Amino acid sequence: EVQVVESGGGLVQPGGSLRLSCAASGFTFSSYWMSWVRQAPGKGLEWVANIKKDGSEKNYVDSVKGRFTISRDNTKNSLTLQMNNLRVEDTAVYYCGRTYGPGPRYHYYYMDVWGKGTSVTVSS
Amino acid sequence: QSVLTQPPSVSGAPGQRVTISCTGSSSNIGARFDVHWYQQLPGTAPKLLIYGNTNRPSGVPDRFSGSKSDTSASLAITGLQAEDEADYYCQSYDSSLSGWVFGGGTKLTVL
């Protein structure tokens, strides 16, 4: 079965750090871009970051640039989101997703496999 | 304010047809970037519904269809069923923001 499973969420104080993980199975992980999308409580979806198949390209939404780092280990079929200097507004459910589409650039891509999400709460 | 604008809510009776619009601009939908749609049932993760403007993944009923024109896109649902009650989101790429953008989401209520 093709699936991705997130972990690592929790409660953290403002300014703190958290490391989210995403374990992939059922597909050739190294053949796909991967993405993180978040959803604040009662709000809509927001793209956070994505990473190319071989990790050579990483893209971020402006609000997390310099604070979040996306990475992957193709030998372990795993995706990571390192979140530093967390803010209250980073509170959300974070979804990991397999990312696919036509051509070499992610401009036309979409998430065709979603995990169930992991909850991050930033509060004092 | 989302870059892609969707109506906050739509409703319809079982069996009816509803459409959900997704309005963008010249830096996203109007720039010919594809539009994709996701369905989020209550309390669950989003699920891909339509990709590449008009394509349905395997397993998605043909009651769901997508279209795109100029700076907007639409999701149509025919033969509305109670299980279609969910939030629906459009997604594209924005060249000004250099990243993916989502619509604010539309809550579909089946009356």
Side-chain angles (χ1 to χ4, degrees):
Chain A
E1 180 190 4
V2 173
Q3 65 174 356
V4 294
V5 178
E6 306 92 336
S7 61
L11 173 64
V12 61
Q13 292 187 338
S17 297
L18 211 55
R19 186 179 182 89
L20 304 184
S21 296
C22 171
S25 60
F27 63 97
T28 304
F29 183 70
S30 59
S31 297
Y32 292 87
W33 284 62
M34 295 295 293
S35 303
W36 288 98
V37 167
R38 67 184 178 184
Q39 185 170 34
K43 302 296 184 181
L45 302 174
E46 180 184 36
W47 168 71
V48 175
N50 61 27
I51 185 168
K52 197 173 181 178
K53 302 173 190 181
D54 61 0
S56 62
E57 180 179 338
K58 304 173 185 181
N59 303 284
Y60 303 91
V61 68
D62 282 349
S63 60
V64 309
K65 282 180 183 175
R67 301 189 299 123
F68 289 13
T69 301
I70 189 172
S71 61
R72 65 190 296 161
D73 185 338
N74 287 346
T75 65
K76 297 181 179 179
N77 293 344
S78 69
L79 177 73
T80 299
L81 186 68
Q82 176 66 44
M83 305 187 296
N84 298 329
N85 191 19
L86 281 160
R87 305 168 179 168
V88 171
E89 54 266 32
D90 294 320
T91 295
V93 173
Y94 285 72
Y95 296 102
C96 158
R98 190 177 78 169
T99 301
Y100 185 69
R105 301 303 309 278
Y106 77 97
H107 301 33
Y108 295 86
Y109 291 0
Y110 48 88
M111 279 170 62
D112 66 342
V113 177
W114 293 68
K116 294 183 177 181
T118 187
S119 180
V120 172
T121 301
V122 184
S123 174
S124 55
Chain B
Q1 285 285 50
S2 300
V3 172
L4 303 180
T5 301
Q6 297 181 235
S9 63
V10 298
S11 63
Q16 285 190 333
R17 177 181 187 271
V18 297
T19 61
I20 298 172
S21 60
C22 174
T23 303
S25 67
S26 59
S27 62
N28 42 68
I29 299 175
R32 300 186 179 183
F33 293 115
D34 285 347
V35 176
H36 318 292
W37 292 90
Y38 302 91
Q39 176 192 58
Q40 186 174 32
L41 297 170
T44 70
K47 164 193 162 185
L48 180 66
L49 196 64
I50 297 287
Y51 66 93
N53 306 313
T54 61
N55 304 291
R56 285 186 309 276
S58 172
V60 172
D62 60 7
R63 301 187 296 105
F64 295 89
S65 63
S67 63
K68 176 188 165 187
S69 178
D70 297 327
T71 58
S72 66
S74 289
L75 172 70
I77 310 172
T78 59
L80 209 54
Q81 299 181 4
E83 65 232 40
D84 298 333
E85 195 160 279
D87 293 324
Y88 294 84
Y89 295 90
C90 58
Q91 174 240 315
S92 185
Y93 176 86
D94 190 281
S95 57
S96 296
L97 298 174
S98 298
W100 281 3
V101 289
F102 283 92
T106 298
K107 182 176 181 60
L108 169 64
T109 300
V110 181
L111 301 171

